[in-house]
Amino acid sequence: WTHEVFRVFGDRLVDQEDRQWLLSTMRECTFKTFGVKFDELMKHLDTNKDGKVNTLDEFRGLFFSDMLSSPGAPKRPYQECD
């Protein structure tokens, strides 16, 4: 759901400060809703190895698609692309 929030809502934000606010809000909501730390869930995106995914450049590494599946496959899985 974080991927969708950033693609549907976050991509419409024009100010860097607002985008950073959205990332901070997502971090808080992830813990409040799921009881899991955002950084733990997204640790594979931590490109600067500081133990946090707290920059937009890091988060933009999250990419989901169904393009890796055969076009004719039924119920093509929407999965994270490495």
Side-chain angles (χ1 to χ4, degrees):
W1 65 277
T2 56
H3 178 260
E4 292 302 315
V5 168
F6 269 89
R7 296 297 176 234
V8 174
F9 180 72
D11 284 351
R12 288 169 170 70
L13 298 175
V14 296
D15 184 273
Q16 185 69 11
E17 185 178 330
D18 290 343
R19 291 185 188 122
Q20 195 62 46
W21 168 84
L22 180 59
L23 180 58
S24 296
T25 301
M26 293 298 293
R27 293 169 60 81
E28 292 172 21
C29 287
T30 299
F31 187 74
K32 286 180 183 177
T33 304
F34 301 107
V36 180
K37 291 184 177 180
F38 183 87
D39 296 318
E40 184 62 31
L41 288 174
M42 304 294 177
K43 64 184 172 186
H44 62 290
L45 301 175
D46 181 16
T47 57
N48 63 5
K49 306 299 180 204
D50 67 351
K52 297 178 182 177
V53 179
N54 57 354
T55 68
L56 293 171
D57 286 337
E58 287 178 316
F59 188 78
R60 287 175 198 241
L62 184 64
F63 186 77
F64 279 79
S65 178
D66 66 355
M67 68 185 179
L68 300 176
S69 303
S70 172
K75 297 184 179 179
R76 291 170 54 171
Y78 188 65
Q79 56 192 6
E80 186 172 359
C81 302
D82 295 331

